[in-house]
Amino acid sequence: MQEVFPVNSGNVPPPSVSTNLLSYQLAFNNNNHFQNNLKHRVLGLTSISSNTLDTANDLIAYAAGAVAVLYNHKRNKQIAFLYPPPTSTSFNVSGTSNISPVNNTNNPNNSIAQPLMMPIGNITSNNEHPTTNLTEEKKGITPASTRAKTISCLAFSPDGKYLAVGEMGHQPRIFIWDVKERTIFREFKAHKFGVLSLSFSPNMRYLVSVGFQHDGYLYVWDWKKGIKLAGNKVTSRVNAISFSKDGSFFVTAGLRHVKFWYLDSRGRMPKKGVGREMQVLDGRSGLLGVLRDANFVDVACDHNSGYTYFVTDSGILCIFKEGRVIDKWVNLQVKSAFSIAVSSIYVICTCSEGIIRLFEPVTLKYLGILPKPHPLGVDISAITSPDMIRSTDDTNVYPDAVAIVYDDVAQRITTVYSDRSLYIWDIHDLQKIGKYRSFIFHSDCVWGVEPCPTIESEGSIIPPNSFATFSGDGTIRIWNLDHPVHPSSSSPLTPHQLSPPLMTPSSSTMVSAQRRNIYSRELVKMLYVDPDAAEFMKQSKHPDYAEDQYPDFGIRSLKMSSDGKWMATGDRSGNLRLHCMKTWDLLGYQEAHDSEILSIDLTTGQDDTPSLVATASRDRLLHIFDLRSNCQLVQSLDDHSSSITAVKFSKDSNKLISCSADKGIIFRQRQHPVTPFHDASTPRPYITYHNHSGRGTVFDMALDVTGRYIATVTGERKLYVFSVDSGKPFR
């Protein structure tokens, strides 16, 4: 019988496939921010390759913006958030330190020994850097070189006691975290334009760092002393790095690039030169042969057989043997491949459309495939039981599996998919592969958070203490972190039971508050509001697009009524939508603005009080709609000269306040009844009674609980309080 995945000799050329660069090689999305709530949870991740995902000692480390999250999969708990203080001690390129490198935890002024869970944005003058500029010190401004940047790579030490974290951007730092003591053990910098990948040597002596292509350097560090021992320039685009079993060499893989960098037979740096002068590291290129034009996206050294495994973006898995020559290769039969993990039992490859294939080491014999994750564009919050899962549908679109790590002891695979979801698969038995854990997050930037009203009514699908997030992926997701009901997130999914029932983006299913879905314990409800964004997420992103070339989809603003009846949303195209929060049906739709809606507020009518929704946009217009008349336009205001950043109703809707980038705050009073806009015989309801002009852009504002005062924040980094009745500053 013919093999499904035939193994080919190293001199046989593979089928020609155009080389596509990975998304993380071209541009990172720096707008993806983390959300750290009162329960000390991070909902979301920014790991988009295996360089930002690692596991050791039951811990899984992944990136969430500038925070490295440590998750214990056995306890099902995020145990720590690694956020560097902005005043840590850096080691310069020669290996010398500005202050003593001793990690003295008893010294309160020693910035190396900082708590693991740093309060985000809480910077005190006691932790200032010794060389900080005095002017910046007086102003309380953190220098740009010491501000926390987005994490671009991380790696555990072989014993799991330390975690190395690298940053992206200009003048990035490398941190060595002591996981047990929850402190920064070392910090040093030498790269200029981002750290792409990190790897510890098996003997724990060295740390290797590779910069992005614009940086173009590779360094070997004595990380315990903070000294740069050796380095070399790398002109090719590098994607990954891996150490051999004995540490005698490590391998870098990239675009038309495979290079073996050699240490001595004991895994130590050969002594060359004099004193502390940095050595030039020796490297020899691999003989690519038929794969000379390939883009090698990941590499892994087998610590049992001594072979080195590579995977290309076109879906070719190959083995390099001694002599740096290709021994054999196999076609994964996928559109593209992203990462690889190697153990004594499996060679695991992650591919496009959620495909993860398993092969036998050395022989590359095909062993099987993992189940696919949830399909894109489906309300997964409605899937509350494995019985609701049916056989696969050819019309379903699945996210790409972009990153993987394998726990050889627990025999579990941790995978990150392109929609920013994280799955842990149990592969003890390939005939009974089970989903051990899974987490579903937003797949694009989160624009804001809105607390859900607490409604004490029978049959309410939103439990108390819930909150909603709205995102550039076109969805609104309601989360609740209190008392997860089902005891385990494990779910036996086989390759023949993959897909939940199909739903349109506007469809909705009542989910009982007493039972959560099987994919995410925290996710109560997921609503696809922007159909264009939902459809775009199903399509593969074009590799030649830069991040700023993607269409402006997504939900930009959201507001829920205090009585839990209505939810108003504004998208980046200027469209207003009104949903019923009991059935989630779309009640109204208006093409309200020519640009994105930056702020929304609504008032719930009681007795004679009207029910209105106000939308403020970047097109400097403010529109008022009547909820009771199918969102008909009531009034349009153009008294701002720049983007309107926030709008607020008073509780009785008698006053309407807006602020703008034109540095102004306008207070309005309702003096006439609410009538449709086309009724020219009646004056418009709201009239300005005070206009305050400040010195800086007003970014946001909030009413106090009594409704008597309103607080604003400006570009001057100041907070101002105004009296609502007079519109004048209170203090």
Side-chain angles (χ1 to χ4, degrees):
M1 188 176 82
Q2 185 177 5
E3 292 187 18
V4 179
F5 294 91
V7 178
N8 301 271
S9 174
N11 57 3
V12 177
S16 61
V17 180
S18 60
T19 299
N20 295 327
L21 302 182
L22 299 181
S23 59
Y24 75 87
Q25 298 168 330
L26 293 159
F28 270 89
N29 183 0
N30 292 331
N31 296 324
N32 291 284
H33 304 295
F34 60 88
Q35 301 295 332
N36 190 12
N37 53 42
L38 296 178
K39 289 284 186 179
H40 300 294
R41 295 287 302 277
V42 174
L43 299 178
L45 52 84
T46 55
S47 294
I48 55 176
S49 73
S50 293
N51 291 330
T52 48
L53 183 69
D54 205 358
T55 183
N57 300 339
D58 299 331
L59 295 180
I60 297 172
Y62 59 87
V67 177
V69 180
L70 294 184
Y71 168 72
N72 189 307
H73 63 80
K74 286 190 175 181
R75 296 168 55 188
N76 193 22
K77 183 180 180 180
Q78 294 176 355
I79 64 169
F81 311 120
L82 307 182
Y83 184 79
T87 54
S88 300
T89 304
S90 298
F91 291 82
N92 60 25
V93 294
S94 63
T96 59
S97 173
N98 293 328
I99 64 174
S100 174
V102 178
N103 187 3
N104 183 7
T105 58
N106 297 321
N107 184 3
N109 295 323
N110 185 359
S111 59
I112 295 181
Q114 292 290 342
L116 187 62
M117 290 175 46
M118 289 296 299
I120 306 303
N122 184 15
I123 303 172
T124 61
S125 59
N126 292 332
N127 291 330
E128 291 296 332
H129 196 281
T131 59
T132 301
N133 186 278
L134 293 178
T135 304
E136 293 177 335
E137 220 175 83
K138 292 180 180 179
K139 292 182 179 180
I141 302 174
T142 304
S145 60
T146 59
R147 293 174 189 163
K149 302 178 181 67
T150 303
I151 292 175
S152 57
C153 56
L154 52 82
F156 275 111
S157 61
D159 59 2
K161 295 181 179 180
Y162 297 93
L163 179 70
V165 177
E167 295 180 324
M168 64 181 304
H170 183 58
Q171 293 183 349
R173 296 172 293 179
I174 299 174
F175 299 99
I176 308 296
W177 288 89
D178 188 318
V179 176
K180 182 178 180 181
E181 298 297 332
R182 306 190 173 188
T183 56
I184 293 180
F185 179 74
R186 283 288 181 269
E187 173 194 344
F188 36 85
K189 64 171 72 172
H191 294 280
K192 294 183 179 180
F193 301 105
V195 185
L196 174 76
S197 184
L198 294 167
S199 181
F200 283 92
S201 62
N203 58 13
M204 295 265 302
R205 284 181 175 269
Y206 309 115
L207 175 72
V208 176
S209 63
V210 181
F212 282 89
Q213 186 178 20
H214 291 294
D215 179 85
Y217 278 93
L218 178 149
Y219 296 120
V220 179
W221 301 84
D222 183 340
W223 59 274
K224 294 181 180 180
K225 297 180 180 179
I227 299 175
K228 187 171 61 176
L229 300 176
N232 206 332
K233 189 172 181 59
V234 182
T235 57
S236 302
R237 185 189 302 273
V238 177
N239 298 324
I241 184 173
S242 180
F243 256 100
S244 64
K245 176 183 178 181
D246 56 2
S248 60
F249 67 90
F250 61 90
V251 188
T252 54
L255 179 61
R256 295 187 289 273
H257 169 88
V258 170
K259 202 160 190 177
F260 293 75
W261 306 86
Y262 291 96
L263 310 179
D264 63 16
S265 58
R266 297 181 300 168
R268 296 184 179 184
M269 286 294 304
K271 294 184 178 181
K272 299 179 182 179
V274 181
R276 301 169 70 93
E277 182 181 356
M278 188 187 74
Q279 302 179 25
V280 177
L281 192 65
D282 295 331
R284 303 188 67 181
S285 298
L287 305 179
L288 303 183
V290 295
L291 297 177
R292 57 186 173 273
D293 293 326
N295 181 21
F296 298 90
V297 293
D298 205 1
V299 57
C301 294
D302 189 349
H303 288 181
N304 294 285
S305 63
Y307 286 101
T308 305
Y309 296 81
F310 296 84
V311 64
T312 71
D313 64 343
S314 59
I316 300 296
L317 170 64
C318 60
I319 295 180
F320 275 64
K321 60 182 179 180
E322 294 183 2
R324 313 183 310 281
V325 180
I326 296 177
D327 181 37
K328 61 190 71 169
W329 61 267
V330 61
N331 191 343
L332 300 178
Q333 301 179 18
V334 293
K335 292 182 180 179
S336 56
F338 296 94
S339 60
I340 186 174
V342 177
S343 71
S344 59
I345 307 176
Y346 304 113
V347 176
I348 311 167
C349 302
T350 64
C351 311
S352 57
E353 299 177 353
I355 297 174
I356 302 177
R357 300 198 189 278
L358 283 74
F359 295 85
E360 185 179 86
V362 181
T363 64
L364 295 188
K365 178 182 177 182
Y366 181 62
L367 298 180
I369 184 174
L370 264 65
K372 289 187 177 182
H374 58 282
L376 297 175
V378 172
D379 182 9
I380 63 172
S381 62
I383 312 301
T384 59
S385 170
D387 297 333
M388 301 177 67
I389 302 175
R390 60 183 174 82
S391 61
T392 185
D393 193 325
D394 293 337
T395 62
N396 287 343
V397 178
Y398 297 92
D400 299 335
V402 296
I404 184 176
V405 289
Y406 179 62
D407 188 339
D408 202 1
V409 177
Q411 292 189 343
R412 293 188 177 119
I413 297 174
T414 302
T415 308
V416 173
Y417 294 89
S418 59
D419 67 340
R420 308 297 174 93
S421 59
L422 187 146
Y423 280 66
I424 303 178
W425 301 98
D426 192 327
I427 59 171
H428 278 93
D429 186 352
L430 292 185
Q431 303 301 319
K432 297 179 180 179
I433 298 176
K435 178 177 69 65
Y436 179 62
R437 307 281 188 206
S438 62
F439 301 92
I440 311 298
F441 303 122
H442 281 291
S443 57
D444 211 322
C445 60
V446 178
W447 285 110
V449 181
E450 178 74 12
C452 297
T454 301
I455 307 299
E456 299 292 342
S457 62
E458 186 176 355
S460 175
I461 68 170
I462 302 179
N465 303 322
S466 299
F467 60 95
T469 56
F470 46 99
S471 168
D473 60 13
T475 65
I476 295 173
R477 311 194 185 199
I478 299 177
W479 311 84
N480 186 276
L481 306 181
D482 295 339
H483 311 297
V485 177
H486 58 283
S488 174
S489 59
S490 299
S491 175
L493 301 177
T494 66
H496 303 289
Q497 294 179 322
L498 302 173
S499 306
L502 290 178
M503 301 180 185
T504 62
S506 60
S507 65
S508 173
T509 303
M510 280 289 190
V511 181
S512 170
Q514 281 71 39
R515 190 170 182 81
R516 303 283 176 86
N517 67 85
I518 63 174
Y519 288 101
S520 177
R521 304 173 68 169
E522 302 88 359
L523 185 61
V524 176
K525 178 64 184 175
M526 183 170 68
L527 188 67
Y528 283 88
V529 178
D530 190 344
D532 294 332
E535 189 64 28
F536 181 75
M537 293 305 298
K538 295 181 181 180
Q539 304 173 4
S540 298
K541 294 185 177 181
H542 197 282
D544 294 330
Y545 280 175
E547 197 66 36
D548 57 355
Q549 292 179 305
Y550 292 116
D552 291 336
F553 294 137
I555 306 304
R556 188 63 175 82
S557 53
L558 179 145
K559 185 67 176 180
M560 297 180 178
S561 62
S562 57
D563 58 2
K565 292 182 179 180
W566 292 313
M567 180 179 69
T569 59
D571 63 22
R572 300 196 67 190
S573 300
N575 302 316
L576 169 67
R577 294 177 177 86
L578 185 68
H579 285 82
C580 173
M581 292 183 62
K582 291 185 178 180
T583 62
W584 301 109
D585 293 334
L586 183 64
L587 301 180
Y589 174 83
Q590 288 286 349
E591 296 180 0
H593 295 273
D594 294 332
S595 185
E596 59 181 340
I597 299 177
L598 298 178
S599 180
I600 286 182
D601 198 19
L602 53 83
T603 175
T604 304
Q606 296 179 358
D607 299 331
D608 297 333
T609 305
S611 298
L612 304 174
V613 57
T615 60
S617 172
R618 195 177 293 277
D619 62 7
R620 74 174 183 78
L621 296 177
L622 192 153
H623 295 320
I624 304 173
F625 301 90
D626 189 357
L627 298 177
R628 294 177 177 174
S629 60
N630 196 23
C631 288
Q632 286 190 6
L633 182 64
V634 171
Q635 188 173 2
S636 183
L637 300 164
D638 61 350
D639 39 9
H640 282 289
S641 60
S642 187
S643 302
I644 305 176
T645 55
V647 60
K648 296 291 180 184
F649 277 111
S650 60
K651 288 186 177 181
D652 56 4
S653 73
N654 284 332
K655 292 181 173 62
L656 177 66
I657 309 168
S658 62
C659 60
S660 169
D662 61 8
K663 307 177 184 179
I665 305 172
I666 299 180
F667 297 79
R668 305 174 185 85
Q669 176 81 35
R670 181 166 59 89
Q671 297 183 356
H672 302 283
V674 174
T675 57
F677 186 75
H678 57 77
D679 187 359
S681 61
T682 306
R684 295 302 95 208
Y686 287 95
I687 297 177
T688 300
Y689 66 90
H690 187 76
N691 190 335
H692 174 83
S693 181
R695 296 182 179 180
T697 299
V698 186
F699 291 110
D700 201 2
M701 58 184 181
L703 280 165
D704 75 321
V705 292
T706 65
R708 297 172 56 191
Y709 305 103
I710 189 164
T712 64
V713 288
T714 69
E716 305 170 271
R717 300 189 179 185
K718 294 182 179 180
L719 185 143
Y720 295 94
V721 179
F722 296 86
S723 170
V724 174
D725 292 333
S726 65
K728 297 181 179 180
F730 177 71
R731 58 176 62 176

